[in-house]
Amino acid sequence: MKKIITIVGSNSQNSINRKLLSYTSNLLGNVELISIDLNDYVLPIYGVDFEAENGIPTAVKRLNEVFDTVDGFIVGLAEHNGTYTAAFKNTLDWLSRANIKVWRDKPMLLMATSPGGRGGATVLEAGVNYFPFLGAKVVADFSLPSFFDNFSEEGISNSELKEALIEKVQLFEQIISPLE
């Protein structure tokens, strides 16, 4: 059984990206999901002076070890002022000090949503362009615009967007579990 890390690029417990990621996780079949919550890895702000004096924090080493064990990643990016949240960027900075190939050359489904009509498109584009430098193989990306209009307790209510996400999930599954 393939192991997949799901991680939301937000430390908000009520993150709409967390809701989208949870919904998406339920679309996957026959995988072991390892859900990473940034609140379980509270880190000092990265700085070369801090690292020189204290080394890499134990929480980063633990998270890095978990990343070594998986076959792929599903990442839901929250957007703060057009880019990653500070908590997520800081985690990435620390992880890159433990292993520059943060994403281990593994397949990734990258997603974003927001209350607005662009659906986190700016941060999603940033991730699509930057994560390959950190070892991501972004096989699919998905943006859900206008979260509160297109998502309910039952999931994505817009049939076109729902079908688009299902197609992206199926592509991701095909990449992580190719037919032998």
Side-chain angles (χ1 to χ4, degrees):
M1 183 178 299
K2 299 293 183 171
K3 290 183 183 180
I4 304 300
I5 281 181
T6 62
I7 185 169
V8 176
S10 173
N11 57 358
S12 169
Q13 291 301 317
N14 295 314
S15 167
I16 59 177
N17 282 279
R18 186 177 314 280
K19 292 175 183 178
L20 177 60
L21 189 65
S22 176
Y23 172 76
T24 302
S25 297
N26 289 325
L27 298 175
L28 293 166
N30 202 30
V31 296
E32 178 184 341
L33 296 173
I34 301 170
S35 180
I36 302 296
D37 185 337
L38 294 181
N39 293 302
D40 295 334
Y41 300 91
V42 177
L43 302 169
I45 294 174
Y46 177 76
V48 294
D49 295 336
F50 183 93
E51 183 183 4
E53 187 174 323
N54 301 289
I56 296 174
T58 301
V60 173
K61 292 176 184 176
R62 283 192 349 255
L63 187 54
N64 188 57
E65 289 173 1
V66 174
F67 276 37
D68 278 337
T69 69
V70 300
D71 301 294
F73 298 88
I74 301 178
V75 180
L77 293 175
E79 186 174 87
H80 286 187
N81 298 318
T83 192
Y84 317 110
T85 66
F88 184 72
K89 176 66 166 84
N90 190 52
T91 302
L92 274 184
D93 289 343
W94 275 114
L95 282 168
S96 74
R97 300 303 292 159
N99 183 340
I100 191 63
K101 295 286 189 178
V102 171
W103 306 113
R104 308 302 197 267
D105 294 320
K106 303 290 181 171
M108 177 183 286
L109 171 57
L110 191 56
M111 304 184 315
T113 190
S114 74
R118 291 184 31 82
T122 303
V123 73
L124 188 62
E125 181 181 353
V128 166
N129 291 325
Y130 176 60
F131 288 0
F133 292 105
L134 298 176
K137 292 187 178 184
V138 180
V139 299
D141 61 85
F142 176 78
S143 170
L144 180 65
S146 305
F147 179 83
F148 295 105
D149 294 334
N150 291 313
F151 196 91
S152 69
E153 292 297 320
E154 291 79 40
I156 296 177
S157 53
N158 177 300
S159 60
E160 289 178 23
L161 291 169
K162 182 177 183 175
E163 185 58 37
L165 178 60
I166 290 169
E167 288 175 12
K168 305 285 181 156
V169 168
Q170 288 172 342
L171 176 61
F172 178 72
E173 287 181 310
Q174 289 170 2
I175 299 293
I176 63 166
S177 298
L179 294 175
E180 301 292 318

